[in-house]
Amino acid sequence: MTLALARKWRPKSFTELVGQEHVVRALTNALEQNRLHHAWLFTGTRGVGKTTLARIVAKSLNCEKGTTAEPCGSCESCVAIDAGRFVDVLELDAASNTQVDNMRELLDNALYAPTAGRFKVYIIDEVHMLSRSAFNAMLKTLEEPPAHVKFVLATTDPQKVPVTVLSRCLQFNLKQIPPAQIRAQLRAIVDKESVAAQDAALALLARAAQGSMRDALSLLDQAIAHGAGAVEEGPVRDMLGAVDRAYLVEIVQALLEHDGVAVMSAAQRMAERNLSFDAALEELATLLHRLALAKGVPASLQEDDPDYDVLSSLAERIDAETVQLMYQIALLGRRDLGLAPDEYAGFTMSLLRMLAFLPADAQSMATSTSEKRPPAVAARKAVAEKAVRQARPEKAQGAAPAADAQAQPTAIEISDWRALVEALKLGGMARMLADHCELRSIEGSVVTLSVPEAHRHLSQPAYNDKLQSVLRERFGKQFRLIEPALVFAVLLGREDKRRLDQAIEAIDTDPFVKDLVENLDAKIIDDSIKPV
């Protein structure tokens, strides 16, 4: 009979266990120094090795060569424990033995000496499922059990285990296994099974397992069957319903080039394949996260990574701030996907939002400030400065240079923002807002500012209006303020202000109101005007 891979390749010793080095180190030292506690509690999500560790501990305690951190695996006791038929190792599922009577029967048997082994080991899986009465029944025995009794408890939800039980156990928290370690283990297994497998396909399975080795092996079993004995990227993507990263890379490249047609074309082809757009936004956020790591911490990108070439290429073309902005928009888009008319609309609106808020020179900003600007950016800058000079009226003879500089728009370098803030006549919270703003881009007569997520609380309408009025008076340009995490709030606030301005203008120009003001000395109170 062919066993499932998750059962066939279950670790049988501490050295075979993957991803739980901190727990293995503690247990190994305890066994080697013979400092044996009477109760252990293993916690962690499904498939990370709780029950496997419990069985290895049982073998270490009852191996015929003595208490050891390296059970032989070949003696009668080790073989029987691996097969689940050792009389002195009792493995219970608390989910199906929740009652107090089951616990009392178990504890009554604990009084008797072991039959074949050195210790009686009670492995209680999903211990949080026990009833309160069952927990109370085991408290005293759990605190002071006979010398020949050891308890090994396992749970996926330690919050539901009473504190009185937790305090009587040594607790070990098993962590989720990193995708890189899962992928390496899958590679070792497919090599031993003589199964042809692509690294990209194994990486997909490792990410889909979400930290669970058992889930990864189950998915590998399914992938082998789905691919008729081979594990290839295309069939695995189809099996998982995963989005082909080629679409996402194409979308990111099109966004950097401000090519809306290419962006929508890729989205349309994804819709034709009936792909999940929720999964697409999740994969897009994952790609941007990895891109941010490659940009900020280049050493984190390994050359054996299947995406190494793609991520390296994109990291050279994009700046860190743009990655953060796109990542934030992807998260917001996924959060609001359920509110969209349909998934396609929600996905494409997220892409259009990225397209709208990406700086025009996002690619050039990736280069160091000490490096020379690319020719295309320099040409755009020269054209913009020429347009500004042509828009200026000729200086009047004898006019004060300082006054002229104050009155006329001037070209602004991105690196000059801090000096510019010092020169502005601002105080209070408006000044604090300006101190935390970043100049993102200059496009014609529009200058775009951005407020980082950490200082979003400073972006209040009153402070925004004060800052924008001072900037408009100083340069004669329109300024817009964006917040990557609050794009909707900013746009909504601007719309409310626009409607209020229209309402005030309508009142001011109304013939009846003008007649009241002129003939009856009436006064318009702007604060009382509300848009309909």
Side-chain angles (χ1 to χ4, degrees), residues 373 380-389 392 405 408-417 420 439 442-444 447 474-477 479:
R373 288 178 179 268
R380 287 200 301 270
K381 181 174 178 287
V383 171
E385 290 179 347
K386 181 179 179 181
V388 169
R389 288 195 299 270
R392 294 179 184 173
Q408 300 301 333
T410 58
I412 308 170
E413 291 290 346
I414 291 179
S415 59
D416 292 341
W417 174 247
L420 177 60
L439 193 57
I442 305 173
E443 301 176 15
V447 178
R474 175 72 180 266
F475 297 101
K477 289 179 178 286
F479 284 77

Side-chain angles (χ1 to χ4, degrees), residues 350-399:
S350 296
L351 299 182
L352 292 173
R353 199 171 301 125
M354 293 180 188
L355 199 60
F357 286 100
L358 250 60
D361 56 348
Q363 296 190 45
S364 67
M365 290 171 66
T367 60
S368 171
T369 54
S370 61
E371 296 178 358
K372 187 177 179 180
R373 288 178 179 268
V377 178
R380 287 200 301 270
K381 181 174 178 287
V383 171
E385 290 179 347
K386 181 179 179 181
V388 169
R389 288 195 299 270
Q390 291 175 349
R392 294 179 184 173
E394 293 296 328
K395 263 191 216 178
Q397 292 295 328

Side-chain angles (χ1 to χ4, degrees), residues 188-197 229:
I189 289 174
V190 295
D191 288 345
K192 293 174 183 176
E193 292 282 331
S194 299
V195 173

Side-chain angles (χ1 to χ4, degrees), residues 277 333 336-350 353:
F277 287 108
D336 296 338
L337 199 60
L339 303 177
D342 55 67
E343 282 200 350
Y344 176 74
F347 179 69
T348 51
M349 280 302 295
S350 296
R353 199 171 301 125

Side-chain angles (χ1 to χ4, degrees), residues 157-325:
D157 196 353
Q159 304 299 325
K160 293 183 180 179
V161 179
V163 178
T164 49
V165 173
L166 294 176
S167 66
R168 289 166 166 81
C169 302
L170 287 183
Q171 184 172 343
F172 297 95
N173 184 30
L174 277 67
K175 63 183 181 180
Q176 290 185 317
I177 306 172
Q181 287 186 300
I182 294 180
R183 187 182 66 182
Q185 181 71 358
L186 294 183
R187 168 53 65 188
I189 289 174
V190 295
D191 288 345
K192 293 174 183 176
E193 292 282 331
S194 299
V195 173
Q198 295 179 349
D199 286 337
L202 296 181
L204 283 172
L205 295 175
R207 286 204 299 269
Q210 297 182 338
S212 169
M213 184 61 75
R214 183 175 63 230
D215 287 5
L217 292 174
S218 298
L219 288 172
L220 179 59
D221 249 335
Q222 185 179 352
I224 294 173
H226 187 79
V231 182
E232 298 178 347
E233 182 179 5
V236 168
R237 284 190 182 277
D238 293 338
M239 181 191 81
L240 297 175
V243 179
D244 191 341
R245 77 166 183 272
Y247 288 119
L248 304 178
V249 171
E250 179 183 347
I251 286 173
V252 172
Q253 289 174 338
L255 287 170
L256 293 179
E257 296 167 1
H258 287 265
D259 189 347
V261 174
V263 171
M264 291 299 102
S265 174
Q268 183 60 39
R269 281 184 277 117
M270 293 171 65
E272 291 171 357
R273 289 193 56 191
N274 199 29
L275 297 176
S276 167
F277 287 108
D278 179 69
L281 283 172
E282 180 182 0
E283 287 292 324
L284 180 58
T286 300
L287 174 63
L288 293 170
H289 165 252
R290 301 190 66 203
L291 186 55
L293 282 176
K295 187 70 181 176
V297 189
S300 65
L301 191 60
Q302 303 297 324
E303 291 189 8
D304 60 348
D305 192 317
D307 298 329
Y308 177 82
D309 293 336
V310 171
L311 292 175
S312 299
S313 175
L314 289 176
E316 292 176 357
R317 302 175 55 194
I318 193 170
D319 65 287
E321 293 180 359
T322 300
V323 175
Q324 294 293 333
L325 176 61

